[in-house]
Amino acid sequence: MGKNHTSTRQGKKNKADFRAECAAFINEDGTKGAHCWICGMPIDYDAPWDDFKNDDRFQRDHIKPVSLYPEFEEDPTNWEPSHAGCNRERSNNSPRVGLAPPSRQWT
Ligand SMILES: [Zn+2]
């Protein structure tokens, strides 16, 4: 019984609550839906989480990757909205938030 893992009931609720919060967020320009923290573009909140072909669908990203910081998995201060595609590309690298892709490879 892992207390702080997403497979728990509380973890699933956290995830759903965070998605709803992001979907309801009002941007400075009046549009609805928090943007992707990695690329800064709007997210397709209508796409179901399991629409795996849709890279624009919402995913909860972790600022501190869960693979490195499992203790922060359910910490709300560690969550940001992201595109599924951006999240996957970011992997465990640190992003340059809201900017064009880095001009050099991070090795
Ligand atoms: Zn994105």
Side-chain angles (χ1 to χ4, degrees), residues 83-103:
H83 291 118
C86 290
N87 191 10
R88 188 178 56 236
E89 272 180 36
R90 181 171 94 91
S91 181
N92 289 338
N93 301 316
S94 293
R96 310 248 318 236
V97 177
L99 297 176
S103 55

Side-chain angles (χ1 to χ4, degrees), residues 36 38-39 83 86:
C36 172
I38 297 169
C39 73
H83 291 118
C86 290

Side-chain angles (χ1 to χ4, degrees), residues 9-46:
R9 188 165 305 199
Q10 186 59 43
K12 277 182 188 159
K13 187 181 181 312
N14 287 348
K15 223 174 187 173
D17 285 355
F18 182 63
R19 178 183 176 129
E21 222 172 85
C22 294
F25 181 82
I26 307 294
N27 297 289
E28 275 175 35
D29 62 1
T31 57
K32 207 172 142 186
H35 291 184
C36 172
W37 81 295
I38 297 169
C39 73
M41 298 299 287
I43 293 171
D44 183 1
Y45 286 97
D46 293 329

Side-chain angles (χ1 to χ4, degrees), residues 58-102:
F58 169 84
Q59 255 182 12
R60 184 178 68 169
D61 193 17
H62 293 83
I63 301 167
K64 293 183 167 74
V66 175
S67 55
L68 302 176
Y69 304 92
E71 67 272 30
F72 288 109
E73 181 172 13
E74 295 305 327
D75 183 342
T77 64
N78 192 36
W79 302 340
E80 291 288 350
S82 74
H83 291 118
C86 290
N87 191 10
R88 188 178 56 236
E89 272 180 36
R90 181 171 94 91
S91 181
N92 289 338
N93 301 316
S94 293
R96 310 248 318 236
V97 177
L99 297 176

